[in-house]
Amino acid sequence: MKDLLDAEARTAQRRHLVKEASKGYFHDMNMTRKHGGKTWIAPKVLIREDKALYLPNINGKSLRDGAKMDTTTMLYGKITVLAMLGTQISETHAKSFANSTYARYSSNPLFQYVQINLQENLLKSFLVKLFSNSLRSSVPLELQKNYLVSSQNMEYLRDPLGMTNSKVGYVYLIDENLKIRWGGCADATLREAQSLESCTGILINRLEEKARSSVEEKAGGTSEDLPVEDASMSSTEQQKTLKS
C-alpha cells in the first residue's frame, strides 16, 4: 500500500514538473497582457460547505511588528476576506474586490480582512523584507496587523487554489471553519465585487445566528438549574428549609 501511495505521489510530482517546464519564462506576464490574467469568473453564490476546500495553512510575519503568524490561528472562528498578493498589479486587483466589502463590514467583530504578500522567489522575498518600512508606509495602519509577508513555497498548492498566474491577485472568502466558500481573481467586475459583499454578509449573519443560539442555549441551561420555590410551602417553612 505504501509503495502504491509513493508511486502515485511520484507520478503527480512528474505531472506537475512537466506542466511547469512547458511554461515559458514570460508565460504569466503574457497571459496578463492578453486578458488581464483573468482565468476564471467568480461564482455568484457561496460554494457549498460540503464541497468547499480547506485553506492550507500559510505562515508569515505581520507587517506591523514582525510577529510570526499563521492563517489557521488567525482565521479560525471569523469570516475572512483573504487577498493573495505578489505584485503591484495584484494589490490593485485585490482592492477592486475587497474595498466595498471592507467598507461595509470592517466594524463587525466577526469579520476581518487579511492580506498575504507572498514572495516565493528568494531574491524578491529578501527585497520585500529589506524595504518593509516603505511597504509599511503604503499600507493603512489598521490593516498592518493582518498583513502578512510570507516566503512559503506554494508550488503544489497553487493549482487547487486556482492561483495559476503569479502576476495577478486572488481573493478568497473563508468561513469560520477555514473553508474556502468563494473566490475571485484579477480585476473584479461589478457583479463579482457585489457577489463577494453579498456572500460575506450571508456568512456573517449565519455566524451571528450561531452565536445567539449558543448564548440562548447556555442561558436556558442555567435557568433550568436554578432552584424554584415550592408554592405550597409557607414563608416560614421556606426560610427553615433554606437555613437547613
Side-chain angles (χ1 to χ4, degrees), residues 157-169:
L157 298 174
R158 284 185 171 276
D159 276 356
L161 293 175
M163 294 172 55
T164 55
N165 190 326
S166 62
K167 306 301 180 186
V168 305

Side-chain angles (χ1 to χ4, degrees), residues 40 42-53 172-173 175 179-184 199 203 206:
W40 41 275
K44 295 180 180 179
V45 296
L46 288 167
I47 298 169
R48 280 175 43 181
E49 185 176 6
D50 60 335
K51 300 294 183 182
L53 298 175
Y172 302 96
L173 177 59
D175 69 16
K179 284 197 167 186
I180 302 172
R181 305 299 299 278
W182 187 95
C199 290
L203 289 184
R206 289 178 182 175

Side-chain angles (χ1 to χ4, degrees), residues 17-43:
L17 292 175
V18 169
K19 181 180 178 182
E20 290 300 307
S22 65
K23 286 184 178 180
Y25 182 78
F26 296 104
H27 175 270
D28 286 353
M29 184 62 71
N30 289 334
M31 293 299 288
T32 303
R33 287 173 178 170
K34 283 183 179 179
H35 43 70
K38 200 170 188 69
T39 50
W40 41 275
I41 302 298

Side-chain angles (χ1 to χ4, degrees), residues 123-167:
L123 178 58
K124 288 188 69 177
S125 176
F126 172 75
L127 291 174
V128 168
K129 292 176 182 177
L130 185 64
F131 295 103
S132 58
N133 286 335
S134 176
L135 178 61
R136 196 175 291 114
S137 66
S138 67
V139 177
L141 184 62
E142 66 272 16
L143 296 178
Q144 290 181 14
K145 179 183 177 182
N146 286 347
Y147 188 110
L148 302 189
V149 177
S150 174
S151 57
Q152 182 170 323
N153 188 340
M154 298 283 287
E155 185 176 359
Y156 291 98
L157 298 174
R158 284 185 171 276
D159 276 356
L161 293 175
M163 294 172 55
T164 55
N165 190 326
S166 62
K167 306 301 180 186

